[in-house]
Amino acid sequence: MKLVFSWLKEFVDIDIEPERLAELLTLKGLEVSDCYPVGKGLDKIIAGRIVDIKRHPKSDRLYVCDVDTGASLIPVVCSAPNLKKDMITALALPGTRLPNGMEIKEVEIRGVKSKGVLLAEDELGLTDDHSGIIELSSNIAPGTSLTEALSVEDWVLDIELTPNRGDCASVLGIAREVSAITGTPLKMPSIEYKELDEEADQVSSVIINEPEKCRRYSAGIIKDVNIRSSPFWMRYRLYLADIRAINNIVDITNYVMLELGQPLHAFDMDRLKGPKIIVRCAKEGEEFTTLDGVTHKLFPEVLLICDAERAVALAGIMGGLNSEIEEDTKNVFLEAAFFDPVTIRRGAKLLGISTEASYRFERGVDIEAVTVALRRAISLMYKLADGKPLKGIIDNYPIPYRPFSITMSVKKANRFLGTSLSKEKIKGYLSALKMEVKDIDEDKIGVIPPSFRMDISREADLFEEIARLDGYENIPVTLPYIRPSEQEEAQELRFEQDIRNIMVGMGFTEIITYSFISPEFRNSIGIPGNFVTIINPLTKDQSVMRTSLVPGVLEAIKTNISYNEYNLRLFEIGKVFIKRGEEELPEERSFLCAGVTGLWDIKSWYGRERKADFYDVKGAVETLLRSISSKPFSFEKKDAPSWYEQGEYASVCVDSYVLGHIGKVSSDVLKRLDIEQDVYLLELDLVGLSRYFVEPRRFKAYSRFPAVYRDISIIVKKEVESRRIEQIIKRIGGDILEAVHLFDLYEGGKLASDEKAFGFRIWFRSMKGTLEKKEVDKIYDEIIKTIIDETGGRLREA
Amino acid sequence: MKERLKELEKAAFEDLKKVKDASSLEEFRIRYLGKKGLISSVMKGIGKLPAEQRPEIGRLANELREKITKEYEGLKKRIQKQEKEKVFIDITLPGRSIPRGHFHPISTVINEVCDIFVKMGFRIVTGPEVELDYYNFEALNIPKDHPARDMQDTFYITDNLLLRTHTSPIQVRVMEAQKPPVAIICPGKVYRRDSDVSHTPMFHQVEGLLVDKGVSFGDLKGVLTLFVHKMFGADTKLRFRPSFFPFTEPSAEVDIQCVICKGKGCRTCSFTGWLEILGSGMVDPAVYKFVGYDEDEYSGFAFGMGIERIAMLKYGIEDIQLFYKNEIRFLRQF
């Protein structure tokens, strides 16, 4: 909300600089996000009097004026439609720089010299008005600087109001705060006007069908107004507050709203049908055209102001086109009401309209001050629009405001805040905020909040007011004793952090991608499942919750490749969302997904380059799993999810559970994503792992005796898996087998094309004593024999 | 015999001067000091000498052997040293380094923040990212049709299911499930329907809650001051100012002195010298009603902070979008 400093000063004396005030307000909870001077740079521009106006000899649009500068008479060429003889206006002489940076020069316009420029308000940087040159008060002497003539130098404070402080959405509201903070008394604007004898409530009446939704409706009737543009000072303040000037009547309603916080609406009374105003709810499907020309289909939740025949305004939101003030309006029906905040908010939301009025009604206006604002506006219409108010006002107030008292304990306040404020001090703060305070007993006080503080109803609300006025900075800093708790920690975060550490240790870089993905991306990868869908996504690309981390990882790979980063090892740890019932929370499950592409080893002075392949991601899984538990796991050939290449895929299994996948991304998927290099993925279900795989480590005693090894080189058919031979070695090796290590895999050469040779080194060691050669040889021979028997292999000759 | 020893001595010292490296040194040793060397052969010849000469020649020969040995040993050390110095490796060749991975800066900062609070006695708790309206709003004293809902633009799944807009629902879930003392810290992803230069639709928050008997606003100031000092340095100035959150009363915004300009005023702090980093406040009695705590018995405070903001300040990152582009050239820097 934009607050004009000079306006504020009409309500409360302020003897500090605007910037200091901004800081003070911020520290008291009214955050000033910006504070800037306005109306600067006009000291070189002077008032000039138009002495004579002649037509330009060569133009129909242009005039040549003789302008009195106070020192001399100069010719000025001008096209303004509002030129008048003896008019005092703004004049910039050659050499002057305008607030918008333009420099004025002496020029010749179609053969006529122009020694200056007459200026409109927008050229002066004052308002956006360009309808004509500015008209200054006739008693200003030519030659007076505009800074002096207009007193436009001012400051604007931009205040970010929190939703609870609707009472501060006005000059008066801020002034009340300043008054409470500084102890300076509040001043109220004058309300003076002469009334006609005819009584307002004899001419019209208000019927409220929904007293809960419209708790007060007051109105005044002003006759014979003259519609014109508002005086400069009013338009200037509206402009500074970001409100467009329309005409004097509409401007006054806006001006009083900004000033007192009470939205007002002026109807053209002659366009209202019948003598009555009715406040009722809209009917389903009823249509209404607001004054911006938009026709809305209404809902029963929307409250309407109606005349005898039809709706004339959306209560508290916007007036209707059928009854708005026009150029020829004579008689005004002026509304000031209190509408229920929830009703207005619901209506505004349903219709998708938000106005200055609805903003204030949603936050609650001062129900007791509704008629104050009404009279203030009437007085301005009397003064600025030549209006003749009827006697009195109409005031239908079916549910009057009932003040209530809050009992507050001073001891509790001090304990809660950690302060030691005296009862008197606390009473002083609350009184300064216009609360009525009474002693109940030694400790307790009774506090009646003012009608405009709709945010205060409980002890805690009072504690905040006390802390705020005393100053948060004055509350002593203490440290609590935090009692240790037996409740459990979130183990899954610790587990995820362990995984993260290992992945980074293995050279993988962590990424974080959005939890929502594009349905098309999902389709192009072929991820199945029931998706959790966002009904109001920002873009369609972010409209379904992921059920897999794969899209994010592939996307990141694609992005990096597009920046010429071809060798990547990326991973993400995050949740996927699996839909359950329509209104049920989805299952959220943590996953790890890693993607590898490009070279695993780059070419170096000590080694050759090597492309990443299946065994790199497999190795990563092996190292990762071995790091977190010593429980066995295996890789099995199973049906691959659709985004893998069936032939280069394995499931990661623990017991009978599939807890992850490794493999090569299918060429179809890569083609659809425009990725032109092989990508290998690793996916692990972290919830499954922590549940079925992680188990406490147990120490196993190991042998103190020496170990011996034997090497085996055996030729088998290509389809024989290394694991099969390893299992035979382990089975036959029994107790004394310590370890098996595959040190060689050989194909080609003297071998047949369907053959390969494995080289295993087998380590033996006994818990019971030093192994004898005989013993080892016997088992070794047995191993060879079994392998040959079971796999059809043969020993490879040395 | 004496002359022979003299000549031998002379020759040995001449030869010693010619020794240049390990191999010529070895030749020298074999020639003079070896088992079949010249001195040994003199020793062997002693037996053939007249008995009265034997002791003297024997003594002289031994002396000579010691003398030569001593010289030999000295030279040997010098040559060994020379030889070692001759060995050359290019220490500027790149090492066989193991490729290093990188933590996402958001993970790092979440860990740092949580660690500080865990050391103070808070325990880490998490909650669902898809939440019920009840936990995200209703039980936090943000009823439907309340202007406070405008503070957070929400992604909806259904009328009642939404992507949580803050980590605060975890507070309610925890309080529902247990009695005080509650001292929790809740990190996680949150979502708001907001995307521009300074907003991403998904970001991270850390939420904290302490509820027990006798917890005061002064304690809130103490805990958060300690946090700021640990996170940004013990000399970081901070201020608390009144604000509004529907689920705290009183509420306080915590500003720290701008870490970029040290309070002088710069672009990062919009020339105010202060940076808003934390929202906080005493838990509103309305929230206690929802979870069944007795507001006369217990009091407490809650706070929350945006991790991206802290990470941006910590690392000097100006563009929030960078956190989610996942470019390796960004991530590699952490």
Side-chain angles (χ1 to χ4, degrees), chain A residues 23 26-31 162-164 342 345-346 349 362-363 412 415-418 458 460-461 463-464 467-468 472-485 487-490 492-493 497 500-501 504-516 532-538 542 545-546 556 559-560 563 565 568-575 577 582-586 588 605-606, chain B residues 93-97 99-104 106-107 111 120-132 145-151 154-158 160-161 163 173 178 181 183 187 189 191 193-195 200-202 204 210 212 215-219 221-223 225-226 239-244 249-252 276 282 284-286 295-296 299 321 323-329 331-332:
Chain A
E23 203 183 316
T26 298
L27 286 176
K28 297 296 176 190
L30 295 163
E31 190 183 350
T162 52
N164 58 329
V342 171
R345 178 172 167 81
R346 209 172 279 169
K349 275 263 151 180
E362 280 175 22
R363 284 158 178 76
K412 191 176 170 193
R415 204 171 52 226
F416 189 81
L417 296 174
R458 309 161 305 171
D461 303 327
F463 297 162
E464 175 164 70
R468 210 163 63 81
Y472 278 13
E473 67 278 15
N474 293 322
I475 290 171
V477 170
T478 50
L479 278 173
Y481 164 59
I482 297 177
R483 285 197 273 163
S485 162
Q487 303 289 332
E488 256 185 61
E489 288 276 345
E492 74 273 16
L493 284 194
Q497 188 54 36
R500 193 176 279 124
N501 288 337
V504 168
M506 290 193 295
F508 286 80
T509 292
E510 188 185 14
I511 60 171
I512 300 179
T513 69
Y514 289 143
S515 306
F516 20 66
V532 175
T533 308
I534 299 168
I535 53 176
N536 60 337
L538 276 174
Q542 301 177 344
M545 299 302 284
R546 64 187 179 195
T559 303
N560 280 292
Y563 288 118
E565 295 285 347
L568 300 163
R569 295 182 207 181
L570 305 178
F571 78 100
E572 176 166 23
I573 292 172
K575 283 180 173 179
F577 302 81
E582 244 349 280
E583 287 294 333
E584 230 181 312
L585 291 180
E588 298 186 11
W605 62 270
Y606 52 81
Chain B
L93 275 180
R96 292 184 188 102
S97 59
R100 179 173 79 97
H102 307 268
F103 293 100
H104 196 287
I106 294 297
S107 295
N111 284 336
M120 286 192 235
F122 288 80
R123 123 188 112 83
I124 300 178
V125 179
T126 57
E129 292 174 28
V130 176
E131 251 304 357
L132 294 168
D145 304 311
H146 191 277
R149 288 222 174 179
D150 288 349
M151 293 166 95
T154 311
F155 286 114
Y156 284 93
I157 306 296
T158 67
N160 283 315
L161 295 183
L163 300 187
R173 287 180 173 275
Q178 68 156 105
K189 290 186 169 87
Y191 305 85
R193 214 173 162 280
D194 216 348
S195 183
T200 50
M202 178 185 93
H204 294 77
L210 174 66
D212 203 350
V215 177
S216 73
F217 193 74
D219 294 335
K221 281 184 74 177
V223 165
T225 302
L226 190 60
R239 68 178 191 186
F240 293 79
R241 59 184 167 78
S243 187
F244 169 75
E249 185 83 15
S251 303
E276 211 174 287
M282 300 298 286
D284 195 288
E295 65 159 301
D296 291 322
S299 58
Q321 309 287 347
F323 290 116
Y324 300 106
K325 290 210 169 117
N326 294 311
E327 286 181 56
I328 194 81
R329 288 170 301 163
L331 298 167
R332 207 179 264 150

Side-chain angles (χ1 to χ4, degrees), chain A residues 405-406 408 423 426-432 434-440 444-449 462:
Chain A
S405 178
I406 306 163
M408 193 202 94
K423 193 176 177 187
I426 286 175
K427 282 165 71 181
Y429 288 143
L430 297 175
S431 303
K434 306 272 185 267
M435 304 200 196
E436 263 179 61
V437 189
K438 267 187 253 152
D439 277 330
I440 292 177
K444 291 195 177 67
I445 51 175
V447 182
I448 302 176
L462 297 175

